Amino acid sequence: MWIRWWLWPLVAICSADQFRDEAERIMRGTPVIDGHNDLPWKLLNMFNNQLQDEKANLTSLADTHTNIPKLRAGFVGGQFWSAYTPCDTQNKDAVRRTLEQIDVIHRMCQMYPEAFVCVTDSTGIRQAFWEGRVASLVGVEGGHSIDSSLGVLRTLYHLGMRYLTLTHSCNTPWADNWLVDTGEDKAESQGLSSFGQSVVKEMNRLGVIIDLAHVSVATMKATLRLSKAPVLFSHSSAYSLCHHRRNVPDDVLQLVNQTRSLVMVNFYNDYVSCKKEATLSQVADHLDHIKKVAGAGAVGFGGDFDGVSRRVITHRLLRRSPSQKTSWRLLAGRCTATQRPPASISSQGPCWPPSPPSSLAYVFCDALGSGPLGSYSSREIGHQSRELPAPQAQGLGSSSRQTHSGPLIKAATLLSHEGVCSQHPSPGGGLLDIHGQVL
C-alpha cells in the first residue's frame, strides 16, 4: 500500500515531463503563431512609443505579458501585433495614430533584428521560423482606422497591414459592432452597408485578412457569406460556453466551417468563463467546442496579451482523458504543416496593383503546448503626443529557438497575404465616400 502511494506521484511527474518534452519537440518543428498581441499599445501608454528608453528594452521589459525572453520561451514563430487606436479617435486622428502604431511595430523589427523580422506573407513566416526569429505581422484593430477610405485601406496594406478588424467596440459608418447585440449601440448598417461590402471586396482583392472579432452577429454572417476568402476571428471564443457577445455563436461557427475560416481563442476570463476567474481547462473546452462545430482546421489561439484587464488563467497542468473523446492536450500531441495549392479568388480581368493569387498555409494541430500565464494589465484609453526617435539597431545574440510562458501554439488557417486579383480594377480616384462613390 505505501509503495503505491509513493509510486503514483513519481509516475505523474515522469508523465508530465514526457508531455512537456513531446510538446517542446513539436514546437521546435512547427511555428507557434498567435493572432493578437497588444504590446504596441502598451509601449505607447508606458513609454510614449520611445523605444530607446532604457526601461522599454524588450529583452528585459517588466510589467507586461510580452517580452523577447517570454516569446522565445514559448517557441513563438509568428505574432500578429495589433496596431490599435481607440474608438474616440474615429472621425478625428485615427489614421495618423494608426500609422504611428504601425511605425512602432516596424521599429521593433529594426531595433531587435535578432529577435523580430517584419513579414507580409507565409513565405516570410517560414523563413523567419527557420532563422529563429519571430515573424512579425501587422493587424489593424478597428475599421475606424481607415476613415471610410479605400485609399487608406490600400495604403495600410502597402505599409504591411495583413488583417483589419472591421470594427472595434464602436460602429463604423459601414459596419456594426458587437455592442449592437447587447442593445448598448443601435444597428446602423444592419451588418454591412454597401460601402462595407466594398471594403470586404477590396480586402479580398488585396489579400488582407478580414477579422471579425468585435463585430455584431449580423456583420459576421454578412461578411462570411460575401467574402471570397477565409476570414478570422483574431481573439474570440465560443458563445455556447460563455454567453458574451464578443464570442462566436454556433450558427456562425457552422459558416466558419463552410468557408474554411478560423477562430483564434481568447484567454480573457470574460470571454472564457464569463466570471472573474477562468482555468486552462475552460480554455480547452472552448477549443474542443470550436473543433467539434467548425472542425480542427478552424481552431487557433489569439491570446490578447497586453490588451485585457485581469488575471484570467490559473497555473495548472491539464491533460484530457481519452474518455472525453478529445484530441486536445496542452502538453502532448502531433502537429503537421501543409501548403495548399494556390487558389485565386478571381483570375480574370485586370488586377490593380498586379499581384499573384493568394495561397493558404494550413497548420493542423491536435495538441497544444502551454505554460503559465502572467496577469493581464488594463488597456488605458489615454493618449499623449510624442516624437518618434530614429530606429537604432540592437543585436540580441543567439537567435536559436528557446522557450514562452503563454499557450500560443496554433491550429489554424493562415492566408499568405500575397494578394488576390479581382476582375475589376481599383477605382482611380483612390478616396471613396461611405456610399462607394469616388470623391
Side-chain angles (χ1 to χ4, degrees):
M1 176 66 71
W2 286 107
I3 294 176
R4 292 173 63 184
W5 278 110
W6 279 101
L7 180 61
W8 281 115
L10 292 174
V11 170
I13 292 171
C14 292
S15 178
D17 289 343
Q18 178 185 354
F19 289 132
R20 180 171 294 277
D21 291 344
E22 177 67 4
E24 291 187 3
R25 184 192 66 79
I26 292 168
M27 290 187 287
R28 287 190 182 96
T30 304
V32 177
I33 301 174
D34 179 66
H36 193 87
N37 190 303
D38 278 294
L39 179 62
W41 175 251
K42 295 293 289 187
L43 294 174
L44 168 63
N45 283 280
M46 294 176 68
F47 307 109
N48 208 24
N49 283 345
Q50 303 296 317
L51 300 189
Q52 292 176 321
D53 187 319
E54 291 183 3
K55 294 181 180 180
N57 189 322
L58 298 186
T59 64
S60 57
L61 185 63
D63 301 321
T64 60
H65 308 145
T66 312
N67 59 34
I68 290 169
K70 290 179 180 179
L71 291 167
R72 286 177 170 166
F75 299 93
V76 176
Q79 179 69 67
F80 277 96
W81 302 106
S82 175
Y84 165 79
T85 188
C87 282
D88 60 10
T89 66
Q90 184 163 209
N91 302 319
K92 298 175 185 176
D93 57 349
V95 174
R96 174 180 66 83
R97 289 173 57 175
T98 299
L99 293 174
E100 290 172 346
Q101 293 308 102
I102 292 175
D103 173 70
V104 168
I105 296 168
H106 285 300
R107 286 191 291 130
M108 286 168 54
C109 294
Q110 292 167 351
M111 291 185 69
Y112 303 95
E114 295 299 316
F116 304 121
V117 56
C118 287
V119 303
T120 57
D121 56 35
S122 56
T123 299
I125 293 172
R126 289 192 297 270
Q127 182 65 31
F129 181 70
W130 293 119
E131 293 173 354
R133 297 192 285 176
V134 177
S136 297
L137 301 103
V138 176
V140 172
E141 189 180 10
H144 57 285
S145 287
I146 70 169
D147 200 22
S148 298
S149 166
L150 296 186
V152 172
L153 173 67
R154 289 189 287 271
T155 299
L156 295 180
Y157 166 78
H158 291 302
L159 292 174
M161 175 186 71
R162 287 302 181 266
Y163 78 60
L164 172 67
T165 315
L166 296 190
T167 73
H168 196 255
S169 298
C170 55
N171 291 341
T172 65
W174 43 271
D176 293 333
N177 85 100
W178 68 277
L179 291 172
V180 167
D181 296 329
T182 70
E184 296 178 60
D185 282 353
K186 293 183 179 180
E188 298 175 0
S189 300
Q190 317 310 318
L192 287 173
S193 71
S194 59
F195 180 72
Q197 295 174 24
S198 296
V199 171
V200 167
K201 293 175 182 178
E202 185 68 349
M203 290 174 70
N204 281 171
R205 191 191 67 80
L206 290 169
V208 177
I209 302 173
I210 298 163
D211 177 22
L212 298 181
H214 287 282
V215 306
S216 70
V217 170
T219 305
M220 295 177 192
K221 292 180 178 179
T223 304
L224 282 160
R225 289 168 177 154
L226 176 64
S227 177
K228 301 296 184 182
V231 308
L232 65 78
F233 295 77
S234 66
H235 53 305
S236 298
S237 300
Y239 181 79
S240 287
L241 301 187
C242 173
H243 292 344
H244 195 291
R245 288 297 182 178
R246 271 281 281 104
N247 287 338
V248 188
D250 280 0
D251 56 344
V252 175
L253 288 177
Q254 292 170 0
L255 290 174
V256 167
N257 174 265
Q258 295 168 17
T259 57
R260 298 180 302 163
S261 295
L262 172 66
V263 180
M264 307 187 86
V265 172
N266 195 312
F267 303 128
Y268 184 35
N269 57 298
D270 281 8
Y271 309 153
V272 172
S273 67
C274 290
K275 298 178 181 178
K276 292 183 179 181
E277 295 182 354
T279 67
L280 285 176
S281 178
Q282 289 169 317
V283 172
D285 289 339
H286 283 267
L287 298 168
D288 281 333
H289 183 82
I290 294 169
K291 179 185 175 183
K292 178 180 178 181
V293 178
V299 186
F301 273 124
D304 205 5
F305 291 120
D306 288 307
V308 291
S309 58
R310 292 192 294 274
R311 181 183 300 273
V312 300
I313 307 295
T314 60
H315 297 186
R316 59 175 294 184
L317 178 68
L318 169 71
R319 192 178 83 179
R320 293 291 174 104
S321 68
S323 63
Q324 293 177 284
K325 297 183 179 179
T326 176
S327 59
W328 294 108
R329 289 179 181 173
L330 291 183
L331 290 176
R334 298 172 301 148
C335 300
T336 59
T338 63
Q339 180 71 30
R340 287 279 181 93
S344 63
I345 291 175
S346 174
S347 59
Q348 301 178 354
C351 178
W352 185 95
S355 58
S358 69
S359 59
L360 300 178
Y362 283 76
V363 180
F364 296 106
C365 301
D366 41 30
L368 310 175
S370 176
L373 294 178
S375 61
Y376 284 84
S377 54
S378 63
R379 169 189 279 173
E380 299 176 0
I381 301 302
H383 172 77
Q384 298 173 323
S385 61
R386 61 239 181 239
E387 296 179 358
L388 304 180
Q392 175 179 332
Q394 179 173 338
L396 296 175
S398 173
S399 61
S400 61
R401 303 306 297 168
Q402 300 177 30
T403 65
H404 179 272
S405 61
L408 299 179
I409 223 171
K410 174 198 176 221
T413 304
L414 178 67
L415 285 176
S416 72
H417 323 303
E418 292 174 348
V420 179
C421 290
S422 167
Q423 60 186 25
H424 301 293
S426 177
L431 184 66
L432 282 75
D433 65 19
I434 61 173
H435 303 295
Q437 302 299 313
V438 179
L439 298 177

